[in-house]
């Protein structure tokens, strides 16, 4: 009796799904986005295979979280049931990488896997600094990630402050309360491979570089000769901060 009820429930779910899909077009789209786990832990998207990347801490692919995701299931799961028993993986715009929504694990397309793995193992040449920031997409009601790469002048200014500035140790129990900031990373030409270096933040209109030597945290104030250049570096996060601040002010006025 129990097995019969389970089968009946399964048939009912499938029927409801078929009705809600409203045609073959939606079903074909689901089939195109239905991937399978292989016996070795790779992801099979039709004829394309993605392998898990080990040690991907230095890997920063541009994942499109607003695009269509792949639903990955075991090989015996039907397309319609993938809505209920699947892992959600988002693709990069170039289709080379997949990222797990739940775990953050990265998978690389087979034709790039050896090259990417070798570069992660051997290291990469850095050409400057970059950071990620976000803007709000009002059409999709979500934040969109962007990457900004510093100009040669901006890189020189950061290096000069790090070299010339006087570092002050931040007490272990202290929290740094800043208005806005970014994680500055050294990167290769593609900005795919990166290493975290320092934070740059704004506190009451002044800029600081925050870092750590592994045991102690420290801060270096940005002196006046470099303030204008740091204004340029922090343009995007400053605009985001000002926009969000205006939202809060409008909400406060509405509430009162």
């Amino acid at each position: 009796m129990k097995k019969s009820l389970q089968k009946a429930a399964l048939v009912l779910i499938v029927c409801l799904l078929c009705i809600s899909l409203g045609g073959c077009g939606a079903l074909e789209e689901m089939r195109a986005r239905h991937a399978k786990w292989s016996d070795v832990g790779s992801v099979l998207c039709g004829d394309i295979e993605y392998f898990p990347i080990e040690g991907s801490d230095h890997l920063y692919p541009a994942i499109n979280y607003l695009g269509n995701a792949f639903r990955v299931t075991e090989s015996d799961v039907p397309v319609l049931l993938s809505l209920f028993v699947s892992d959600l993986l988002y693709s990069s715009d170039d289709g080379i990488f997949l990222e797990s929504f739940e775990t953050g694990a990265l998978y690389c397309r087979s034709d790039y896997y050896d090259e990417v793995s070798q570069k992660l193992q051997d290291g990469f040449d850095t050409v400057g600094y970059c950071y990620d920031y976000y803007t709000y997409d009002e059409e999709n009601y979500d934040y969109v990630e962007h990457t900004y790469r510093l100009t040669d002048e901006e890189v020189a200014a950061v290096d000069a402050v790090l070299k010339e500035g006087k570092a002050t140790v931040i007490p272990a129990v202290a929290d740094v309360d800043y208005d806005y900031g970014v994680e500055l990373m050294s990167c290769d030409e593609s900005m795919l491979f990166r290493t975290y270096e320092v934070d740059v933040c704004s506190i009451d209109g002044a800029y600081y570089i925050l870092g750590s030597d592994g045991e102690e945290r420290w801060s270096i104030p940005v002196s006046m000769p470099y303030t204008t250049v740091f204004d340029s570096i922090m343009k995007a996060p400053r605009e985001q901060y000002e926009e969000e601040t205006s939202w809060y002010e409008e909400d406060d006025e509405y509430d009162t």
Side-chain angles (χ1 to χ4, degrees):
M1 173 66 72
K2 185 176 180 181
K3 289 186 177 180
S4 299
L5 289 175
Q6 288 176 338
K7 290 181 179 179
L10 183 61
V11 171
L12 177 60
I13 290 173
V14 173
C15 290
L16 290 174
L17 282 171
C18 289
I19 295 172
S20 63
L21 286 174
C24 296
L27 182 59
E28 288 303 316
E29 177 64 20
M30 283 189 64
R31 184 174 287 111
R33 289 289 166 178
H34 182 202
K36 305 291 182 69
W37 293 112
S38 75
D39 295 336
V40 296
S42 61
V43 179
L44 300 173
C45 301
D47 296 331
I48 303 174
E49 188 169 13
Y50 290 82
F51 294 107
I53 289 285
E54 300 295 335
S56 58
D57 291 344
H58 294 282
L59 199 58
Y60 288 78
I63 303 297
N64 182 2
Y65 299 103
L66 296 180
N68 292 323
F70 286 96
R71 294 189 175 275
V72 188
T73 69
E74 299 299 330
S75 58
D76 59 348
V77 175
V79 173
L80 291 175
L81 292 185
S82 66
L83 287 173
F84 300 96
V85 289
S86 62
D87 296 296
L88 205 59
L89 270 66
Y90 287 94
S91 173
S92 58
D93 286 331
D94 55 17
I96 296 176
F97 297 95
L98 298 177
E99 181 179 276
S100 168
F101 176 75
E102 292 188 0
T103 67
L106 287 174
Y107 299 81
C108 182
R109 206 170 67 197
S110 58
D111 54 333
Y112 279 84
Y113 179 80
D114 289 341
E115 176 186 345
V116 170
S117 297
Q118 194 66 44
K119 205 166 186 178
L120 286 172
Q121 179 179 331
D122 296 343
F124 52 92
D125 295 327
T126 59
V127 297
Y129 300 117
C130 69
Y131 65 78
D132 292 330
Y133 68 98
Y134 300 84
T135 58
Y136 188 70
D137 185 338
E138 295 184 358
E139 183 177 343
N140 293 287
Y141 303 102
D142 204 349
Y143 282 92
V144 180
E145 185 179 75
H146 308 274
T147 300
Y148 177 73
R149 178 175 166 183
L150 276 61
T151 66
D152 291 342
E153 180 186 16
E154 292 167 348
V155 169
V158 171
D159 289 341
V161 172
L162 289 171
K163 181 179 179 180
E164 302 169 7
K166 182 179 179 180
T168 300
V169 174
I170 302 173
V173 296
D175 290 326
V176 179
D177 187 15
Y178 56 86
D179 297 321
Y180 57 90
V182 297
E183 292 185 343
L184 206 60
M185 294 171 281
S186 56
C187 61
D188 72 339
E189 189 68 39
S190 68
M191 296 189 293
L192 174 62
F193 296 90
R194 310 181 196 174
T195 299
Y196 166 77
E197 299 293 347
V198 294
D199 289 342
V200 180
C201 66
S202 174
I203 304 175
D204 296 330
Y207 296 116
Y208 295 84
I209 295 180
L210 310 179
S212 171
D213 59 9
E215 296 181 358
E216 294 180 323
R217 297 182 300 158
W218 47 261
S219 69
I220 299 177
V222 175
S223 57
M224 285 299 296
Y226 302 107
T227 299
T228 301
V229 181
F230 271 73
D231 281 338
S232 174
I233 293 173
M234 300 294 282
K235 181 177 183 293
R238 181 175 64 254
E239 290 177 346
Q240 179 185 349
Y241 170 74
E242 292 172 349
E243 182 177 15
E244 292 178 348
T245 300
S246 68
W247 293 346
Y248 297 139
E249 291 174 349
E250 290 176 2
D251 287 342
D252 291 340
E253 292 177 2
Y254 180 79
D255 292 337
T256 57

